[in-house]
């Protein structure tokens, strides 16, 4: 897999390069600003881009804007956005174009190497990855009358993992359940929430997130 | 014990005596200058006094600036002054002197202090002298033709020694009276010579604005340094620990467990850091400004929420934080307890206040619990001299209104 990194903190950038390289991923370019990032993807499209939300010169959301712009130039370009903190409004911005291959994670998730690489591969494959903390924020802000309260704790876990972008297999692995059990839970969830059953993948994430944000 | 209280009082009294005695000299000068001012003022209609006005004004300014320095030292409060410069031809100088409000403050002081300063100085000189006189009666009464003290004749030794008691009385009077007297004359001068209220308030406002701006820079610096940089450092630690864990995949269990524990500890530290920074100054406020941050809150509200924003002036960062948390708390409570189907958030400026209102169509009857979230909001808002109002009749609608001064 060929990846382009955009991160202004030198320590972090070098660390990411080392981490990815040690997992057999080629880092085509490691840049420290938005302009260089857009240039780097201008040539041959990488398999994925890892970019920090805050980049010079203003350190507000240059990275985010560059990610959105990059996907405008190359629709479907897999982009994994890293941030010091997460807000669901930013997630919404990234998911806005409805095309898969988007990830939004807290920077500290890179510490769990296995999960980070997994997330990167999922994004590169066109999947969706949303940081659990974003989902937690969405799950917390519910009305007292929300049907979400009718879900069992296990079902809430499955719902959360679906919203984070995990496929059924991934959910089964994390919760140590059989695939059949996972499927059953998902069917129950969609029933209780009154959602039409959705196939795997990006569309399902969008449907669940749309429900949670409504 | 009596000694401990006495010494500082004696020191204070001697300081007061010095102040008042100098004040005596200054008071006499002021009195004469005041007289001169009257004379010049009387002669001016006849055109004679004009050339005297500039030098007299300069002399008055000299006197008052001496007094300002003395008062500033005594009271520990600076007493700034601004006088119009006198330059150019005579007519321009006269015009400057007469149009300067400071000139009239100086004249008022001359008149008042001419009397008060002189009188106070007299008391400060007289009391010690009387005391010495009374104490030493035994030493000289026999040598003086008609010795008397306080109007009573001294005709015997016992009477003479009673002078000591009288002396003590004078001393006591001095110790009790002189320090407050000096403070009072200083304060009187302070009131007469200080710049008018408008100027003082402007200075206070400017100082406060500067303080708030400095606070805002600090908050942003904390957010940048603490949040971003420190977080990046910790993330680097996490990355290394993560890679260590991977390389220990074949290693014995204890080593793996230790690496995992180190990883969890660092991860917890990072999460905690993020939460702490959020309560100081939510990063979303820096990234999107107050209206953007509140828009994010409204968009994220489980109860459908409309947001109306009217232009408001730029606010200090800490005030923005208070407004943000107020709306966040209101929306959270609304979602949990109100049973509302719709909510409105309104953000606007009213006179010099920033007003944030959160209204819902729920069943009302909301109350702020002590120690609850709304109480916390109220504390933040009150710290900026703002107000929180909760209007929630049973049956609704409920409105939470937060007012924060945006003027300084």
């Amino acid at each position: 897999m060929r990846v382009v990194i955009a991160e202004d903190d030198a320590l972090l950038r070098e660390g990411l390069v080392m981490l990815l390289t040690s997992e057999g991923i080629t880092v085509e370019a490691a840049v420290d600003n938005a302009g260089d990032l857009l240039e780097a993807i201008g040539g041959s499209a990488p398999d994925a881009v890892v970019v920090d939300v805050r980049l010079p010169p203003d350190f507000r959301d240059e990275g985010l804007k560059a990610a959105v712009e990059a996907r405008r130039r190359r629709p479907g370009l897999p982009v994994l956005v890293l941030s010091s903190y997460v807000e669901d409004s930013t997630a919404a911005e990234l998911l806005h174009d409805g095309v898969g291959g988007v990830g939004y994670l807290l920077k500290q998730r890179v510490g769990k190497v296995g999960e980070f690489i997994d997330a990167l591969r999922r994004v590169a494959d066109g999947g969706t990855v949303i940081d659990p903390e974003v989902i937690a924020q969405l799950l917390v802000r519910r009305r007292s009358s929300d049907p979400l309260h009718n879900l069992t704790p296990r079902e809430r876990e499955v719902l959360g993992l679906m919203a984070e972008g995990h496929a059924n297999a991934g959910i089964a692995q994390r919760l140590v359940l059989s695939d059949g059990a996972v499927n059953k839970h998902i069917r129950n969830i969609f029933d209780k929430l009154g959602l039409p059953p959705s196939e795997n993948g990006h569309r399902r994430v969008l449907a669940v997130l749309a429900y949670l944000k409504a | 014990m009596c000694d401990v209280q006495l010494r500082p009082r004696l020191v204070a009294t001697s300081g007061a005596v010095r102040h008042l005695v100098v004040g005596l000299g200054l008071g006499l000068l002021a009195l004469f200058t005041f007289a001169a001012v009257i004379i010049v003022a009387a002669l001016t209609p006849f055109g004679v006094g004009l050339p005297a006005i500039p030098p007299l004004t300069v002399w008055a300014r000299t006197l008052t600036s001496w007094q300002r320095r003395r008062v500033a030292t005594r009271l520990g409060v600076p007493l700034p002054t601004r006088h119009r410069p006198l330059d150019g031809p005579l007519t321009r100088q006269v015009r400057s002197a007469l149009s300067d409000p400071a000139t009239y403050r100086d004249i008022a002081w001359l008149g008042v202090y001419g009397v008060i300063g002189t009188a106070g100085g007299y008391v400060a000189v007289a009391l010690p002298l009387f005391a010495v006189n009374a104490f030493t009666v035994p030493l000289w009464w026999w040598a003086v033709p008609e010795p008397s003290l306080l109007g009573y004749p001294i005709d015997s030794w016992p009477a003479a020694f009673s002078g000591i008691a009288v002396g003590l009385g004078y001393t006591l009077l001095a110790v009790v009276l002189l320090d407050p007297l000096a403070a009072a004359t200083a304060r009187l001068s302070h009131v007469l010579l200080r710049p008018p209220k408008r100027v003082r308030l402007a200075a206070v406002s400017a100082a406060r604005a500067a303080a708030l701006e400095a606070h805002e820079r600090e908050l942003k610096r904390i957010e940048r340094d603490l949040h971003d940089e420190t977080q990046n450092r910790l993330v680097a630690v996490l990355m290394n620990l993560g890679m260590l864990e991977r390389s220990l995949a074949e290693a014995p269990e204890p080593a793996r467990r230790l690496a995992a524990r180190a990883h969890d500890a660092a991860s917890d530290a990072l999460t905690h850091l993020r939460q702490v920074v959020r309560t100081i100054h939510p990063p979303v406020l820096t990234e999107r400004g107050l209206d953007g941050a509140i828009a994010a809150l409204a968009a994220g509200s489980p109860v459908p929420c409309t947001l109306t924003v009217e232009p408001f002036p730029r606010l200090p960062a800490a005030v923005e934080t208070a407004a943000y948390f107020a709306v966040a708390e209101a929306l959270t409570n609304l979602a949990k307890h109100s049973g509302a189907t719709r909510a409105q958030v309104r953000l606007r400026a009213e006179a010099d206040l920033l007003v944030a209102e959160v209204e819902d169509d729920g069943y009302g009857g909301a109350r702020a619990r002590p120690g609850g979230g709304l109480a916390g909001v109220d504390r933040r808002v009150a710290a900026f001299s703002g107000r929180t109002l909760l209007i929630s009749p049973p049956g609704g609608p409920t409105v939470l209104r937060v007012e924060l001064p945006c003027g300084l």
Side-chain angles (χ1 to χ4, degrees), chain A residues 9 12 15-16 18-19 23 54 60 84-85 90 93 106-108 110-114 133 141 143-144, chain B residues 223 227-228 231-233 235 239 242 246 263 267 270-271 274 283-284 286-288 300 302-303 335-336:
Chain A
D9 184 298
L12 223 47
L16 275 172
M18 198 163 60
L19 190 150
E23 296 293 320
R54 287 197 196 182
R60 294 188 89 209
S84 303
Y85 77 99
T90 313
E93 230 179 287
L106 274 175
K107 265 191 223 181
Q108 69 185 76
V110 308
K112 288 272 177 210
V113 178
E133 205 168 282
R141 299 199 210 121
R143 272 190 263 184
S144 42
Chain B
E223 210 221 311
H227 194 227
D228 284 350
Q231 182 160 119
N232 285 349
R233 299 276 166 284
V235 170
M239 269 200 296
R246 298 280 270 190
H263 191 121
S267 199
L270 205 41
T271 306
R274 247 203 348 272
V284 65
T286 316
E287 265 181 35
R288 291 170 191 255
V303 174
K336 277 200 289 214

Side-chain angles (χ1 to χ4, degrees), chain A residues 3-205:
Chain A
V3 167
V4 168
I5 300 177
E7 167 61 62
D8 64 290
D9 184 298
L11 194 64
L12 223 47
R13 193 175 55 243
E14 297 309 317
L16 275 172
V17 171
M18 198 163 60
L19 190 150
L20 292 173
T21 318
S22 74
E23 296 293 320
I25 296 173
T26 315
V27 177
E28 254 189 12
V31 304
D32 66 358
N33 66 80
D36 287 352
L37 171 66
L38 291 171
E39 242 185 71
I41 63 157
S44 61
D47 297 316
V49 171
V50 176
V51 57
D52 185 343
V53 164
R54 287 197 196 182
L55 287 178
D58 287 331
F59 298 98
R60 294 188 89 209
D61 57 357
E62 288 80 350
L64 178 63
K65 290 212 191 60
V68 170
E69 173 63 19
R71 279 169 67 84
R72 195 189 59 79
R73 293 188 193 183
R74 286 183 185 283
L77 174 70
V79 171
L80 177 55
V81 174
L82 297 176
S83 180
S84 303
Y85 77 99
V86 285
E87 292 269 332
D88 63 287
S89 47
T90 313
E93 230 179 287
L94 281 170
L95 293 169
H96 185 69
D97 60 6
V99 183
V102 170
Y104 181 48
L105 285 180
L106 274 175
K107 265 191 223 181
Q108 69 185 76
R109 307 292 179 211
V110 308
K112 288 272 177 210
V113 178
E115 293 186 15
F116 175 62
I117 301 293
D118 175 62
L120 188 56
R121 290 196 199 278
R122 275 192 284 141
V123 169
D125 286 341
T128 312
V129 171
I130 306 289
D131 193 289
E133 205 168 282
V134 176
I135 309 303
Q137 282 177 17
L138 289 175
L139 285 175
V140 147
R141 299 199 210 121
R142 306 315 300 174
R143 272 190 263 184
S144 42
S145 56
D146 197 312
L148 212 62
H149 297 292
N150 297 336
L151 295 180
T152 69
R154 184 58 106 188
E155 285 165 354
R156 283 177 75 110
E157 274 182 310
V158 172
L159 177 68
L161 288 173
M162 274 199 290
E164 289 171 34
H166 291 285
N168 289 9
I171 299 178
Q173 191 191 36
R174 272 171 174 74
L175 298 181
V176 193
L177 294 173
S178 69
D179 281 344
V182 171
N183 283 332
K184 188 161 74 87
H185 283 309
I186 292 178
R187 267 201 310 279
N188 288 343
I189 292 167
F190 276 83
D191 271 341
K192 287 187 189 177
L193 299 185
L195 289 174
S198 188
E199 64 281 17
N200 240 326
H202 187 67
R203 281 194 209 280
R204 184 170 77 185
V205 179

